[in-house]
Amino acid sequence: MRRSKNPARSMVLALAICGATTTAALANDTTAELKTGGLAYVQTSDIAMEEEDLFLSRQEVRVDYLFRNLGQADIESVVAFPMPDIVGGSESDMAYGDAESDNFLGFSVVQDGKAITPQLQQRVTALGIDHTQALKEAGVPLLPYSEKTAAALQKLSPETKADWAAKGLLRIDGYAGGNDNPEVTPVWTLTSAYWWKTKFPAGKPVKVAHRYSPSVGGTVAMSFIQDGKPAYSYEDYARRYCIDADFMKTAAKLETAAAKSTGPHYTEQWLSYILTTGGNWAGPIKRFRLTIDKGNAKDFVSFCGKGVKKVGPTTFVMEAQDFTPEREMDVLFLVAGE
């Protein structure tokens, strides 16, 4: 288990309770400044995130914030919400939402009861180098899993395909599509962030709410346990999800029951939510509330938390005062098959 420098503000209690939820990594709001080349996230000592209410489920993610300008004058600032990176060529069992839409997770933002249309910044990188402009000039969409992207890549000249493959943007499969027109697969990374300018009036609260549909990641089996014993990935899982001895015993029973066909087959699903960008605001978060809705009583969950309470048949809540996010929220779910 990874220890925080300040245990009173960290989430260190492992749970082994029924639950099921999954998303790819998303992030807290953060202040940002526009620089050449894109958004740069900055810290502010003038605006406090007084409240954060985070709800996670397989169907929906909801985040509600209360900000307050601590200064004597109004402040106009850029607020940014980083989206999860999409890595082309991934063979993991990961759903990325609407592969044909720039807003692939259906992200929306409301401030003080009014809907806001944020701007979207997207960057394509490969081997640590930005190739966004090259794709735009070639008329290739940036979304790696889009059918329009696949069609545009196939139309590129053989010379361009070879050049992009050498730069780490593409993988060329000479056995698929034939030697005259081999199949190409995008392997670049797409980084996206929504941002908008807003005003924080001096001394007044500002409410911001986000909604989006989560993407789902997972495996076809439990990978951290094999034959009732810790598998190769156990140490990483123990650190990331705080799985403990009781959770391992439960997983072993589930594994045995599935092998004997006396119980359902369990698979893994994961949720990773980036909390630490919330530390870019002034001071600790005065009130933090996390709600996880498992959705299915047959499923199990493990994550690092402190003072988590079961408040309903499928929901669990963690609340904290003067909360400083020092690690991300990673959640492991064991999901029962039909």
Side-chain angles (χ1 to χ4, degrees):
M1 181 186 302
R2 182 174 64 183
R3 298 292 183 181
S4 167
K5 295 180 180 178
N6 188 345
R9 291 179 177 176
S10 65
M11 297 179 290
V12 295
L13 179 63
L15 287 109
I17 46 185
C18 293
T21 325
T22 58
T23 84
L26 293 177
N28 270 342
D29 274 357
T30 182
T31 49
E33 59 183 0
L34 291 175
K35 292 185 177 180
T36 302
L39 289 174
Y41 304 117
V42 297
Q43 291 185 324
T44 176
S45 60
D46 300 314
I47 303 170
M49 184 190 292
E50 293 194 338
E51 297 182 9
E52 177 177 0
D53 195 338
L54 173 61
F55 173 90
L56 304 172
S57 77
R58 285 179 293 176
Q59 290 72 37
E60 183 183 36
V61 173
R62 304 195 300 263
V63 195
D64 294 284
Y65 305 100
L66 178 65
F67 299 101
R68 189 178 299 274
N69 178 354
L70 303 177
Q72 301 299 314
D74 295 351
I75 296 176
E76 185 174 81
S77 178
V78 171
V79 178
F81 193 92
M83 300 296 283
D85 287 353
I86 296 182
V87 181
S90 174
E91 296 179 356
S92 63
D93 184 13
M94 179 75 72
Y96 293 100
D98 186 354
E100 302 300 321
S101 172
D102 285 334
N103 190 5
F104 50 91
L105 295 181
F107 176 80
S108 66
V109 57
V110 174
Q111 181 169 316
D112 291 331
K114 297 181 180 179
I116 291 177
T117 302
Q119 299 191 55
L120 175 63
Q121 173 187 279
Q122 292 181 308
R123 291 287 182 267
V124 166
T125 60
L127 302 178
I129 299 174
D130 191 320
H131 296 281
T132 309
Q133 191 59 33
L135 267 69
K136 289 183 176 180
E137 291 177 354
V140 176
L142 306 185
L143 289 163
Y145 292 102
S146 168
E147 292 183 2
K148 294 179 181 179
T149 300
L153 290 175
Q154 287 299 128
K155 295 179 182 179
L156 295 176
S157 68
E159 294 77 15
T160 298
K161 291 178 183 178
D163 177 58
W164 285 17
K167 293 176 179 176
L169 288 164
L170 303 177
R171 183 175 64 234
I172 299 178
D173 186 352
Y175 294 99
N179 292 330
D180 294 335
N181 191 26
E183 183 177 287
V184 294
T185 301
V187 293
W188 63 73
T189 297
L190 176 64
T191 300
S192 306
Y194 282 99
W195 66 273
W196 61 98
K197 288 185 177 180
T198 193
K199 180 178 290 186
F200 295 90
K204 295 183 179 180
V206 173
K207 294 182 179 180
V208 177
H210 300 313
R211 302 290 185 269
Y212 44 85
S213 299
S215 59
V216 178
T219 65
V220 296
M222 294 186 293
S223 62
F224 62 93
I225 189 170
Q226 185 175 7
D227 298 328
K229 299 179 181 179
Y232 71 95
S233 61
Y234 170 78
E235 291 187 3
D236 177 63
Y237 276 54
R239 174 189 60 82
R240 182 175 300 180
Y241 306 112
C242 291
I243 59 178
D244 60 9
D246 288 338
F247 190 83
M248 289 296 290
K249 289 180 181 179
T250 298
K253 292 179 180 178
L254 299 176
E255 184 185 48
T256 299
K260 294 181 177 179
S261 298
T262 58
H265 174 75
Y266 277 81
T267 60
E268 293 179 17
Q269 292 183 331
W270 315 299
L271 177 155
S272 295
Y273 186 90
I274 300 173
L275 283 174
T276 54
T277 51
N280 287 349
W281 303 88
I285 302 172
K286 290 185 177 181
R287 189 189 70 84
F288 174 77
R289 179 183 174 92
L290 167 69
T291 303
I292 294 181
D293 189 339
K294 64 180 183 177
N296 189 335
K298 295 181 180 180
D299 299 339
F300 296 85
V301 63
S302 183
F303 62 95
C304 302
K306 184 177 181 180
V308 178
K309 297 178 181 179
K310 186 176 182 180
V311 298
T314 64
T315 53
F316 305 88
V317 170
M318 186 191 90
E319 295 183 303
Q321 304 292 326
D322 294 328
F323 175 69
T324 298
E326 296 176 343
R327 64 176 294 169
E328 317 307 352
M329 172 56 65
D330 293 307
V331 188
L332 168 66
F333 299 94
L334 304 184
V335 181
E338 297 296 335

